[in-house]
Amino acid sequence: MSNIEIERRFLLADDSWKALAGAPRLMSQGYLSVEKECTIRVRIVGNRAWLTLKGYISDVSRSEFEYEIPLSDAQTMLDTLCPFRLQKNRYELKHEGFLFEIDEYFGDNAPLVVAELELPSEHTPFPRPSWLGEEITANGRYTNAYLSKHPYSAWEPEK
């Protein structure tokens, strides 16, 4: 079944969000395809796993097809078919009725921390808590697919 994902992404202004967030969940994910038009991702969270296909619609919207798959299949895919991988802790934080998902990256993508907010439409107004920093939704360098291939620690400073 197709689903449209409408998502805004932000850097964090400070660490004050941590006192408000729930416990983190470790996510390991890899990419079988890293193209703007279509990414194919394998993700493991705890003892569950998913295969996800995302198609580009706009900087804010993507079509998304997500299927739960056996954990052993996902681990084999990560180990043998996914040359581009990353790990992160995901925190959930509810603020004024909105769910912010905050990703704290490990390894070559540390110390990057990004907040994601899924919305029902591209024009839905949402709160901007003090810990929410610069919006990076339109900057493709901050997508997980890009980060898996071009780690944050290797970036040249933006001019």
Side-chain angles (χ1 to χ4, degrees), residues 54-72:
K54 292 188 177 193
Y56 181 83
I57 297 173
S58 73
D59 288 336
V60 178
S61 299
R62 292 184 295 272
S63 61
E64 182 179 74
F65 300 84
E66 188 164 66
Y67 307 96
E68 190 161 2
I69 61 174
L71 181 60
S72 60

Side-chain angles (χ1 to χ4, degrees), residues 25 28 32 34 45 49 61 64-65 76 84 97-98 104 117 121 125 127-128 130 132 134 140 144-145 156 159:
R25 293 177 295 146
S28 298
L32 291 95
V34 183
V45 182
S61 299
E64 182 179 74
F65 300 84
T76 299
F84 309 113
F98 287 84
E104 183 176 44
L117 176 62
S121 80
R128 294 199 177 237
S130 62
L132 200 62
E134 174 189 353
N144 288 310
E156 293 291 325
K159 297 176 182 175

Side-chain angles (χ1 to χ4, degrees), residues 4 18 27 44 50 62 66 70-71 78 80 84 90 97 102 119 126 137 148:
I4 303 296
K18 275 196 169 185
M27 295 186 166
I44 296 175
W50 295 266
R62 292 184 295 272
E66 188 164 66
L71 181 60
L78 279 175
T80 62
F84 309 113
R90 174 163 286 174
I102 300 175
L119 298 168
F126 58 92
T137 302
S148 73

Side-chain angles (χ1 to χ4, degrees), residues 20-151:
L20 308 169
R25 293 177 295 146
L26 176 64
M27 295 186 166
S28 298
Q29 60 193 54
Y31 290 83
L32 291 95
S33 172
V34 183
E35 301 297 328
K36 182 176 182 176
E37 298 78 21
C38 179
T39 59
I40 303 172
R41 175 187 75 207
V42 175
R43 176 182 279 170
I44 296 175
V45 182
N47 62 357
R48 297 180 70 192
W50 295 266
L51 180 66
T52 306
L53 295 83
K54 292 188 177 193
Y56 181 83
I57 297 173
S58 73
D59 288 336
V60 178
S61 299
R62 292 184 295 272
S63 61
E64 182 179 74
F65 300 84
E66 188 164 66
Y67 307 96
E68 190 161 2
I69 61 174
L71 181 60
S72 60
D73 288 359
Q75 191 61 61
T76 299
M77 287 182 207
L78 279 175
D79 293 342
T80 62
L81 300 175
C82 296
F84 309 113
R85 296 180 239 171
L86 59 82
Q87 281 195 315
K88 60 188 180 179
N89 268 333
R90 174 163 286 174
Y91 299 82
E92 291 186 349
L93 192 160
K94 288 191 178 178
H95 181 81
E96 295 183 17
F98 287 84
L99 178 64
F100 289 85
E101 295 177 321
I102 300 175
D103 292 340
E104 183 176 44
Y105 293 86
F106 297 136
D108 290 339
N109 285 306
L112 182 62
V113 182
V114 173
E116 299 177 353
L117 176 62
E118 288 194 29
L119 298 168
S121 80
E122 288 192 17
H123 305 291
T124 300
F126 58 92
R128 294 199 177 237
S130 62
W131 43 263
L132 200 62
E134 174 189 353
E135 182 165 6
I136 54 171
T137 302
N139 188 337
R141 290 180 8 138
Y142 288 98
T143 65
N144 288 310
Y146 187 90
L147 289 167
S148 73
K149 204 172 175 182
H150 308 279

